[in-house]
Every structure is written in C-alpha cells, then in structure tokens.
C-alpha cells in the first residue's frame, strides 16, 4: 500500500508514524505548500519521498488530504478529477458541509471518504507530529452512504490501525456538534489569552502565577490561525450560534457579580458542575 499525504503537519505526520509502524503503509509519499515543510517531513522520516501533487496522486493507492479546510475545498475537486476508479481519497478536516457540497455529484465522489479524527494538540507543522496521537480517541465518518463500500472498508481498517473508535454521522450534524464541543473551546481560549495579555502587563507574573488551571484553559490559544480561521469561516453559522450563547452566559455572570448575587452565582456554578456527569 502506498499512501500519499498532502499536508504533512500535525495530523498527516502523526498518521504517517503509526501507519508505517503498523504495516498499513509500505511507502509514504508527501506533498505540501512549502518546500521547507515537506523537506522537514523527509528529514524527520515521516515520509519516504517528496512528490509534486500530480505525481503523488498518480502513485498513491490512498490519498490523505490533511490541509486547512479552505485549501481542502479548493483542492478536492481537482484531486478527484485526477484519480482512477480504484484509488481512495480521504480528508481529515475539522468541517465538512461546505466542501462536501462542492463535490456533490462529482463522478468520483464514490471514491472519497470524509473523516475527522477528533484528536490534536495546539502545535502544528511536521515537527508537531507524534506517535499515538489518535490512540483511544474517536473519529467521525460523514455521509458514508455516498462512498463505495470497499473505500469505506479500507479507511475503517486504517483508523482501526490508528487505534480509533469510529462514529458515523451526517455532515450537517458533524459541523453542528463540533462547533459545540471543539470550535467554541478554541474561541474561548483565544479570548482568555487576549484578556490576560491585555490586563496583565507583567509577563513575569503570568509565568510565575500560571498554575494548572490557567495553563490548561489557555493551552488551545497556542493553536495556529492558519488552521482555525478556515474552520471558523467554513462553520461560521454554527460557531456564531454557540458564540451568542457563550456571550449571554458571560454577561449573566458579570451581572451577578455587579449585583453581588452570590447565591445565584453559586447555583450557576453547581449547574455548570453537571458537566462531570458527561465528562469525568
Ligand atoms: P498543520 O500541522 O498546520 O499541517 C497542515 C499542513 O498542510 C502543513 O504541512 C501545510 O504546509 C500544508 N498546507 C497548507 N496549505 C496547503 C495548501 N494549499 N496546499 C498544500 N499543503 C498545504 O495542520 P493540522 O493541525 O495537521 O491540520 C490539518 C487538517 O486536519 C486540517 O484540515 C484541520 O482542520 C484538521 N484537524 C486538525 C486538528 C488539530 O487539532 N490540529 C484535529 C483534527 C483535524 P506548510 O507548512 O507549508 O504551510
């Protein structure tokens, strides 16, 4: 099996490590935007050969598109135009509805499987690739009825080798749920980082006082805008919907403090604590 990874960064590079170790892939080809990052992926041993996109498509059995979702929307129709009836293409993008509309009715739509491995870190690029990033986590397959059974089976085997549990969902539900559980947490973290940078002018105090709580809540604010702006753009309506709710909650808490309504605030935190029932 020859795999071609377009965008050998955190997700593509981490997949390469495990898929080679598990023997799923015998050869891994890589291509990307800048020479620098593909060279780095070679140097780190993530890929065996660097290729131009056109050659990578011709020479791969399975093509993994691991680029930001706006680039994916541009690239996917061209990739599908160039493949034969045996090759399989997948994406790992954080949004689905927008680009799936673009390829609806494409004669090779059946060779494409839309997936979203729900695993990541705040780091990006080939240097961020790590072993076991996906192990024990869940991956979402979207609109599988649009894909050939053999293509879905191959990709299921791939995610099984990555140690992931598969969840099946339609693209519209995927974008809605990921806005709630993933995209909004990044917005909250960016806002928290900006708030602290604005209010706390003494960097030394941030370093010295930042304990577990602050560090863990602000961790996602280190994430790259190259990846996240396209996600917010593609999933704008769902992210806005949940952002209005977040702003409402913040305003409510502010008002309780202004009015010194500590009993109400106490009850609100007790209600928030109920998240323990869902996430241990
Ligand atoms: P990343 O580490 O920044 O890697 C993205 C790679 O894509 C880089 O190698 C980049 O090359 C390349 N690239 C960017 N634009 C390109 C273009 N137009 N043509 C070809 N290559 C291009 O990002 P990532 O975190 O792996 O994200 C990749 C995909 O996975 C995204 O669709 C994202 O939504 C999804 N995802 C991310 C996470 C997460 O937590 N990070 C989790 C699940 C899914 P350069 O270095 O040269 O720019």
């Amino acid at each position: 099996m020859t795999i071609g990874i377009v965008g050998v960064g955190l997700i593509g590079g981490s997949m390469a490590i495990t898929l080679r170790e598990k023997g799923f892939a015998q050869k891994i080809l890589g291509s990307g935007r800048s020479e620098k990052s593909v060279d780095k992926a070679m140097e780190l041993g993530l890929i065996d050969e660097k290729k131009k996109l056109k050659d990578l498509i011709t020479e791969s059995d399975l093509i993994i598109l691991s680029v930001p979702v706006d680039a994916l929307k541009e690239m996917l129709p061209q990739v599908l135009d160039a493949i034969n009836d045996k090759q399989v293409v997948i994406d790992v993008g954080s949004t689905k509805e927008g680009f799936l509309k673009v390829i609806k009715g494409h004669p090779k739509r059946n060779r494409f499987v839309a997936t979203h491995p729900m695993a990541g870190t705040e780091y990006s690029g080939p240097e961020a690739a790590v072993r076991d990033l996906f192990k024990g986590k869940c991956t979402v397959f979207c609109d599988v009825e649009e894909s050939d059974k053999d293509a879905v089976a191959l990709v299921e085997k791939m995610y099984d080798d990555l140690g992931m549990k598969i969840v099946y969902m339609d693209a519209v539900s995927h974008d809605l749920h990921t806005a709630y559980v993933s995209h909004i947490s990044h917005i909250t973290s960016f806002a928290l980082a900006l708030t602290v940078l604005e209010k706390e002018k003494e960097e030394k105090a941030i370093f010295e006082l930042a304990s577990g709580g602050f560090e863990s809540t602000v961790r996602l604010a280190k994430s790259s805008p190259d990846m996240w702006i396209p996600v917010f753009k593609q999933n704008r309506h769902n992210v806005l919907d949940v952002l209005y709710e977040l702003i409402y909650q913040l305003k409510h808490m502010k008002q309780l403090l202004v009015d010194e309504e500590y009993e109400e605030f106490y009850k609100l935190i007790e209600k928030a604590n109920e998240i323990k029932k869902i996430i241990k």
Side-chain angles (χ1 to χ4, degrees):
M1 166 86 69
T2 298
I3 293 186
I5 301 176
V6 186
V8 194
L10 166 69
I11 300 295
S14 302
M15 282 183 157
I17 296 173
T18 307
L19 294 178
R20 185 197 306 284
E21 283 179 358
K22 289 274 178 185
F24 181 88
Q26 277 70 54
K27 197 200 256 184
I28 304 183
L29 313 176
S31 117
R33 184 169 53 173
S34 67
E35 284 283 317
K36 199 172 147 231
S37 76
V38 189
D39 285 343
K40 191 73 197 172
M42 275 290 285
E43 189 190 316
L44 293 168
L46 299 171
I47 55 173
D48 299 305
E49 290 172 31
K50 65 174 187 175
K51 293 280 172 188
K52 294 214 167 1
L53 180 60
K54 190 171 149 287
D55 298 327
L56 177 143
I57 296 170
T58 315
E59 294 173 34
S60 304
D61 301 302
L62 172 65
I63 299 156
I64 300 174
L65 303 178
S66 185
V67 297
V69 286
D70 52 352
L72 180 64
K73 200 171 170 183
E74 294 277 311
M75 187 184 288
L76 185 54
Q78 296 162 32
V79 175
L80 293 183
D81 285 346
I83 58 164
N84 63 36
D85 290 334
K86 296 250 164 12
Q87 288 171 291
V88 176
V89 183
I90 71 163
D91 79 301
V92 294
S94 306
T95 64
K96 292 285 174 261
E97 202 188 344
F99 76 80
L100 283 178
K101 270 190 193 147
V102 173
I103 57 159
K104 195 162 180 60
H106 190 288
K108 298 276 172 52
R109 169 65 185 87
N110 51 320
R111 302 310 296 165
F112 174 72
V113 184
T115 78
H116 179 194
M118 302 288 295
T121 70
E122 62 275 33
Y123 304 111
S124 53
E127 300 91 337
V130 283
R131 174 174 287 99
D132 290 341
L133 178 68
F134 307 102
K135 202 173 173 185
K137 308 267 169 54
C138 134
T139 188
V140 186
F141 278 36
C142 288
D143 299 353
V144 276
E145 61 288 350
E146 305 269 336
S147 312
D148 284 349
K149 286 201 166 59
D150 69 296
V152 175
L154 176 74
V155 184
E156 284 172 338
K157 165 82 175 82
M158 185 196 88
Y159 277 110
D160 191 47
D161 281 355
L162 290 172
M164 300 194 92
K165 179 176 168 268
I166 302 171
V167 173
Y168 302 87
M169 212 179 265
D170 65 85
V172 175
S173 306
H174 166 274
D175 285 9
L176 181 82
H177 293 302
T178 50
Y180 292 169
V181 298
S182 164
H183 306 168
I184 194 64
S185 12
H186 282 80
I187 294 214
T188 319
S189 194
F190 292 132
L192 179 64
L194 290 172
T195 308
V196 173
L197 290 170
E198 187 56 38
K199 296 300 279 184
E200 180 56 270
K201 297 295 181 195
E202 287 183 39
E203 274 186 34
K204 201 163 166 270
I206 302 182
F207 280 123
E208 283 170 1
L209 302 180
S211 57
F214 177 70
E215 228 178 312
S216 62
T217 349
V218 89
R219 177 180 67 82
L220 297 176
K222 297 176 198 163
S223 305
S224 161
D226 282 346
M227 196 213 119
W228 281 101
I229 292 299
V231 170
F232 297 147
K233 195 170 155 191
Q234 297 287 324
N235 206 15
R236 180 173 169 273
H237 62 293
N238 287 320
V239 174
L240 267 179
D241 174 41
V242 63
L243 192 53
Y244 287 133
E245 178 62 28
L246 176 68
I247 292 166
Y248 166 78
Q249 294 290 348
L250 287 175
K251 278 188 173 163
H252 184 38
M253 286 185 194
K254 183 194 83 178
Q255 200 54 48
L256 291 176
L257 259 186
V258 168
D259 299 341
E260 299 200 67
E261 296 263 19
Y262 299 116
E263 261 180 51
E264 272 307 303
F265 208 160
Y266 189 99
K267 284 184 200 151
L268 206 61
I269 294 177
E270 275 188 326
K271 198 170 166 199
N273 289 160
E274 285 173 23
I275 199 80
K276 280 189 275 194
K277 290 181 195 157
I278 304 169
I279 301 168
K280 300 255 168 357

